[in-house]
Amino acid sequence: MSQNTLLLIAILIFAPIFGVLLYNTYQEKKYRDAVRAQFGHADKDALLESRTHSVRDGQTAANAPVAEETDAGQTAEPALLKPSFTRQTALSEADAAEDQTVLPPPAPAQADTPAEPVLQTAPAAAPPAFSFKKVPVAQPSQTQSAAKQKLLLDLHDLAKQELPWFDSRFDYLAYIALKEPQELHAMPRLSSNRRFRIAGCTMDDRFQIAEPIPSVYYQGFVIGLQAINRNGLASIAELEQFGEQANAFAEKMDGGLLLTDIDTFLSVARPLDDLCARVDQTIAIHLVSRNNISGVELRNAVERQGFELSHDGMFYLNNPKGEPLFAISTLDNSAFTSALLSSQNYRGFSMLFDAPHIPDGEKNFNRFMDIAVKLSSMLGLDLVNDKLEELSTQWLKEVRRYVVERQDEMKQVGIEPGGELAQRLFS
């Protein structure tokens, strides 16, 4: 048999094999391109960068300044994913903007090696030049003349009251004393985009949340504007506008007004706002399929883990108090609905861990990862980042450590993760 004949036989044998390999390579590339296109951020890390982000002003690592460490009615959504972890209170809603910090990106993954994070510990900070203490007694900055009739309450004494509904570190306070006892016929409109509360002093010198209830007479009021939330710190212009609105309310009620000094308030509120921006992080992990999974199968699996579909188009796992603990979103931020889940397929989904809202970060992050692993096994999904890189055990350990450190920062200033103050500040 000639050499040419042998070569021809070899070509005929190996050609189909090479063809299969090339076809598989093409299919793999097509799959990767499709998933990357669905994520919309294929050049960023999902867990520690583009999907682990400060929710301030909706910025992510793509457009926010990188720091040494690493998104309201309806809570405003940041770019990509932000679960609606908000608690309803007797407050008006808030919107404003502020910068934030983010995690640095993880080190590039080596070939055939799971991606590893590069998380930098914050440099040792010098002792802070501020302290989170009660704002000094406010100085009169805007008052209404009491004319010849004496006020029922002394405004400066009123400013010394420590009331459980307000925190002078982030509530900008206005004090109003009346000349005559009056009913509150209607709640005033004191802010169009920030939350506020009104406490009233009744005729027996007791304070309560003020409500327009017939036959309940008040001697005065304390009004607190929540100046810090996930949209950042209120501007001086906003505080001045609130002062003007409070003054108009005092005039309508025929009383005198005392406002907290703005500079004094901001000297305490600014460092607290900086801390809130630093710790306000949402962690997302993606579970993706090489093909598709049916919506019915997806829903059955997550509901077996305790998640429930909410009206906002996301699945939530609630704590024993009925408050959201973990969330599940679509990969492209579209809403889950019963109709869509029963009729269409999905590439996968994202699990969200909203760090300031979840108590006991280490314990609950372990639970979060356990659920992710179970769902991955049940549905045959891969745990990946935006680059389709597998998440390593070491990476997840570093993220857990980061969550614990940020929550420790919150506790140092008296903000318990998942507690009432956290619900207010991170809303």
Side-chain angles (χ1 to χ4, degrees):
M1 187 176 295
S2 68
Q3 185 176 1
N4 289 338
T5 302
L6 291 174
L7 181 61
L8 180 61
I9 293 173
I11 292 174
L12 291 174
I13 292 174
F14 289 104
I17 297 175
F18 286 124
V20 170
L21 292 176
L22 289 174
Y23 178 75
N24 287 342
T25 301
Y26 168 76
Q27 289 290 87
E28 180 72 12
K29 182 178 182 301
K30 184 178 179 181
Y31 159 74
R32 288 177 178 272
D33 291 342
V35 176
R36 282 173 175 158
Q38 192 161 8
F39 282 142
H41 286 267
D43 60 332
K44 298 176 185 62
D45 179 83
L47 185 58
L48 297 181
E49 190 181 62
S50 67
R51 295 294 182 96
T52 300
H53 53 273
S54 172
V55 303
R56 288 300 186 90
D57 197 29
Q59 294 192 19
T60 66
N63 54 17
V66 177
E68 286 296 316
E69 329 176 283
T70 150
D71 135 13
Q74 182 176 1
T75 304
E77 296 276 351
L80 297 181
L81 302 174
K82 176 187 175 299
S84 302
F85 288 117
T86 58
R87 177 183 293 176
Q88 298 299 320
T89 62
L91 306 173
S92 305
E93 292 303 320
D95 297 296
E98 199 68 36
D99 290 332
Q100 70 289 323
T101 58
V102 295
L103 283 168
Q110 301 298 324
D112 299 323
T113 302
E116 298 290 345
V118 179
L119 294 177
Q120 302 177 5
T121 303
F130 59 86
S131 59
F132 294 113
K133 296 181 179 179
K134 180 175 174 62
V135 176
V137 175
Q139 298 299 317
S141 59
Q142 191 172 4
T143 61
Q144 164 143 350
S145 172
K148 297 181 180 180
Q149 191 169 352
K150 185 177 179 181
L151 298 175
L152 297 174
L153 299 171
D154 182 273
L155 285 169
H156 290 280
D157 288 341
L158 188 58
K160 296 177 183 178
Q161 295 289 330
E162 294 187 11
L163 303 177
W165 307 286
F166 306 111
D167 190 315
S168 56
R169 295 175 296 176
F170 58 86
D171 286 318
Y172 180 67
L173 299 172
Y175 306 92
I176 297 173
L178 306 181
K179 299 177 188 177
E180 296 179 350
Q182 292 194 46
E183 295 177 314
L184 181 63
H185 296 289
M187 298 295 291
R189 295 183 61 84
L190 299 179
S191 175
S192 59
N193 57 6
R194 284 195 176 266
R195 297 179 173 184
F196 64 88
R197 282 176 170 167
I198 303 179
C201 180
T202 59
M203 296 309 297
D204 56 359
D205 295 325
R206 294 184 180 182
F207 285 89
Q208 64 184 42
I209 292 296
E211 297 179 278
I213 301 175
S215 301
V216 175
Y217 287 83
Y218 295 98
Q219 304 181 67
F221 302 95
V222 179
I223 308 174
L225 178 76
Q226 184 179 325
I228 298 177
N229 58 27
R230 275 186 153 162
N231 295 304
L233 177 62
S235 65
I236 293 177
E238 286 180 289
L239 299 180
E240 290 176 342
Q241 181 185 32
F242 170 74
E244 293 173 359
Q245 293 169 333
N247 194 45
F249 176 64
E251 290 179 351
K252 181 179 179 180
M253 300 295 288
D254 194 21
L257 171 72
L258 177 67
L259 291 171
T260 302
D261 179 70
I262 290 179
D263 291 336
T264 301
F265 171 74
L266 290 177
S267 68
V268 174
R270 283 192 180 113
L272 179 61
D273 180 63
D274 291 340
L275 180 143
C276 290
R278 182 168 62 254
V279 304
D280 197 2
Q281 308 290 335
T282 296
I283 296 170
I285 293 178
H286 313 301
L287 292 85
V288 299
S289 169
R290 290 184 175 272
N291 298 303
N292 281 316
I293 56 173
S294 72
V296 173
E297 186 180 7
L298 187 157
R299 181 171 189 171
N300 288 339
V302 301
E303 287 183 346
R304 282 201 296 271
Q305 296 301 314
F307 286 84
E308 296 179 0
L309 182 61
S310 175
H311 63 86
D312 64 0
M314 298 176 70
F315 286 95
Y316 292 100
L317 176 66
N318 295 329
N319 63 20
K321 296 180 180 179
E323 300 164 337
L325 194 62
F326 311 137
I328 288 178
S329 166
T330 59
L331 296 175
D332 59 2
N333 289 329
S334 61
F336 284 118
T337 67
S338 295
L340 291 176
L341 286 164
S342 63
S343 61
Q344 75 175 32
N345 296 330
Y346 292 85
R347 282 286 188 184
F349 54 88
S350 297
M351 286 186 60
L352 305 175
F353 185 97
D354 193 359
H357 284 268
I358 299 177
D360 197 349
E362 183 172 14
K363 175 183 176 181
N364 279 309
F365 188 78
N366 289 339
R367 183 184 177 191
F368 176 76
M369 284 310 307
D370 286 344
I371 294 174
V373 171
K374 287 180 181 177
L375 290 173
S376 172
S377 177
M378 292 168 61
L379 297 171
L381 304 177
D382 298 324
L383 296 174
V384 300
N385 60 26
D386 281 353
K387 295 180 180 179
L388 301 183
E389 296 167 338
E390 180 183 356
L391 304 185
S392 71
T393 301
Q394 181 60 31
W395 189 352
L396 298 173
K397 287 180 179 178
E398 292 292 338
V399 175
R400 179 178 59 194
R401 177 188 61 79
Y402 179 81
V403 168
V404 172
E405 290 177 353
R406 298 292 77 75
Q407 291 199 348
D408 285 344
E409 284 191 78
M410 295 172 61
K411 294 175 183 177
Q412 288 172 8
V413 296
I415 304 172
E416 189 66 28
E420 182 180 356
L421 289 183
Q423 296 288 350
R424 291 187 64 197
L425 286 167
F426 303 101
S427 62

